[in-house]
Amino acid sequence: MAENIRLEVVTPQKSVVSEDVQIVVAPGTMGEFGVLVGHTPFLTTLKLGTVRYKDAGGTERYIFVSGGFAEALPDKVTILAESAERRTDIDAERARTALERAQQRLAEKRDDIDFVRARAALERAMHRLSVAETRKTM
Ligand code: ATP
């Protein structure tokens, strides 16, 4: 069996994942990419999306990431994200509230609303909900 690779997912607040895994698939801004042990080193930015990995026991796991950076080395993948949560740690109720708040802000069309910020909050909330509620979210 192939060797495992170390996966570290870190936010400014905490370490979200630190474990040996079989494969990591992440949402690069240039497209989704997969990393196995022995991968050629590279650095990329990430878009908002889902990091998937197969843990050492072969179970598929899902992490919401709000975008950030990934560094792949032959024996390690490090993901630095502004925010990240394991699927099982996502508070769906909180995401629904954030979604409604963002939708209201966008619907009001007031001049003092930061449209880009509201749109980004909306996308985070929608994706959190899709990760929390779907096992096979990409
Ligand atoms: P909210 O308006 O609910 O704070 P947000 O999208 O603005 O949502 P972020 O700025 O992405 O939140 O994240 C702030 C912190 O809260 C991060 O540590 C993030 O992991 C956590 N967080 C945000 N939403 C959720 C959620 N629905 N479930 C679990 N943790 C969350």
Side-chain angles (χ1 to χ4, degrees), residues 81-132:
E82 194 53 46
S83 57
E85 301 104 43
R86 288 175 177 272
R87 187 179 70 81
T88 46
D89 289 336
I90 293 174
D91 179 342
E93 206 40 58
R94 175 173 170 177
R96 257 178 235 114
T97 305
L99 179 65
E100 280 165 22
R101 192 168 53 234
Q103 281 170 331
Q104 267 172 19
R105 286 197 171 128
L106 291 168
E108 281 173 21
K109 295 199 172 75
R110 287 194 347 237
D111 285 349
D112 59 339
I113 297 282
D114 183 339
F115 182 85
V116 173
R117 189 173 158 191
R119 180 78 218 170
L122 181 87
E123 283 174 11
R124 286 195 301 276
M126 280 174 37
H127 201 84
R128 278 184 172 116
L129 286 171
S130 78
V131 176

Side-chain angles (χ1 to χ4, degrees), residues 5-59:
I5 187 164
R6 187 81 184 166
L7 172 63
E8 303 280 351
V9 180
V10 182
T11 74
Q13 284 84 36
K14 58 183 187 284
S15 163
V16 177
V17 179
S18 178
E19 64 183 87
D20 292 334
V21 308
Q22 296 181 11
I23 183 171
V24 181
V25 179
T29 42
M30 305 289 281
E32 194 176 60
F33 60 89
V35 186
L36 292 163
V37 74
H39 202 288
T40 308
F42 74 97
L43 193 62
T44 183
T45 47
L46 296 178
K47 57 185 180 189
L48 176 145
T50 308
V51 171
R52 291 182 285 142
Y53 67 92
K54 228 176 227 183
D55 71 13
T59 303

